[in-house]
Amino acid sequence: QSSKGGQEVYVDNLSPSDPRFAPGAQVRFQIKVKNTSNVTLSKVTVQDVLPSYVDAVEGPGDYNAETRTISWTYAELKSGEEKIERVIAQIKPQGDLPADKGLMCMNNKATVHVGDVSDEDTSQFCVEKTVTMPTKGGQPVKTTPEAGAPLLAFGALNALGLAAGIYLKKRA
């Protein structure tokens, strides 16, 4: 996410060439669920499964730390109705990240269920660890990712579309 005229702008996926998040940074996701059918849907269950090395900070439902899943339900979703939720996750500190990886790309996954029909969408973001390099004087110098402003680049989960049969509808 970046700010454009004061509005948050979400993107569907961030690649390794996009700005990267640093250890300990927060990542914001936007989850859209829309009923694109012509009937009202009842008991729409949504789950957001966070990747490893990320903890939930804020979300619309209940968080199960064991399964790393935030879950919530809409009693009904009328034809054409869209619900938008925000999930905030925090990347673990550098010491809790794998020592053998400097750059890690992860996927956040959202699923939606209505009865026995379901759909899912994912959003990728990348984390770059701080590297310590010695200088001439022997004092370590810490460097952070060069891609800049990691807190201004947010991942987004866009448009889990519900229809007769449920399908995925992505928005850029």
Side-chain angles (χ1 to χ4, degrees), residues 129-140:
K129 294 190 333 193
T130 302
V131 178
T132 302
M133 298 184 310
T135 63
K136 286 182 182 177
Q139 295 296 318

Side-chain angles (χ1 to χ4, degrees), residues 33-37 39 41-45 77 110-121 159-169:
V33 180
K34 184 173 184 179
N35 180 357
T36 56
S37 75
V39 298
L41 300 172
S42 299
K43 197 175 178 197
V44 179
T45 303
L77 209 54
T111 61
V112 61
H113 301 269
V114 177
D116 60 354
V117 183
S118 66
D119 199 4
E120 65 181 46
D121 193 11
L160 284 171
L162 299 178
I166 294 187
Y167 63 90
L168 190 69
K169 182 178 179 185

Side-chain angles (χ1 to χ4, degrees), residues 83-132:
K83 299 277 190 179
I84 299 174
E85 305 292 349
R86 289 189 176 89
V87 170
I88 301 175
Q90 184 158 4
I91 300 163
K92 291 188 180 287
Q94 177 146 325
D96 294 344
L97 299 176
D100 61 340
K101 293 183 182 174
L103 178 66
M104 295 175 292
C105 292
M106 304 175 230
N107 286 310
N108 187 24
K109 180 171 85 170
T111 61
V112 61
H113 301 269
V114 177
D116 60 354
V117 183
S118 66
D119 199 4
E120 65 181 46
D121 193 11
T122 60
S123 182
Q124 177 180 266
F125 64 99
C126 298
V127 176
E128 187 170 14
K129 294 190 333 193
T130 302
V131 178
T132 302

Side-chain angles (χ1 to χ4, degrees), residues 1-153:
Q1 174 261 340
S2 63
S3 184
K4 191 173 187 179
Q7 292 282 76
E8 290 182 341
V9 178
Y10 287 84
V11 296
D12 193 31
N13 286 287
L14 295 172
S15 73
S17 62
D18 286 312
R20 301 161 194 159
F21 293 90
Q26 288 190 344
V27 187
R28 296 175 188 258
F29 297 95
Q30 179 174 280
I31 300 172
K32 294 181 182 181
V33 180
K34 184 173 184 179
N35 180 357
T36 56
S37 75
N38 59 3
V39 298
T40 297
L41 300 172
S42 299
K43 197 175 178 197
V44 179
T45 303
V46 185
Q47 292 186 316
D48 183 30
V49 183
L50 297 172
S52 298
Y53 311 117
V54 173
D55 294 316
V57 173
E58 187 178 306
D62 297 319
Y63 179 58
N64 180 325
E66 271 186 42
T67 61
R68 315 188 56 69
T69 303
I70 302 170
S71 303
W72 66 96
T73 302
Y74 301 121
E76 69 174 25
L77 209 54
K78 293 180 175 29
S79 176
E81 186 177 4
E82 179 178 80
K83 299 277 190 179
I84 299 174
E85 305 292 349
R86 289 189 176 89
V87 170
I88 301 175
Q90 184 158 4
I91 300 163
K92 291 188 180 287
Q94 177 146 325
D96 294 344
L97 299 176
D100 61 340
K101 293 183 182 174
L103 178 66
M104 295 175 292
C105 292
M106 304 175 230
N107 286 310
N108 187 24
K109 180 171 85 170
T111 61
V112 61
H113 301 269
V114 177
D116 60 354
V117 183
S118 66
D119 199 4
E120 65 181 46
D121 193 11
T122 60
S123 182
Q124 177 180 266
F125 64 99
C126 298
V127 176
E128 187 170 14
K129 294 190 333 193
T130 302
V131 178
T132 302
M133 298 184 310
T135 63
K136 286 182 182 177
Q139 295 296 318
V141 174
K142 291 185 179 179
T143 62
T144 52
E146 287 183 24
L151 291 176
L152 295 179

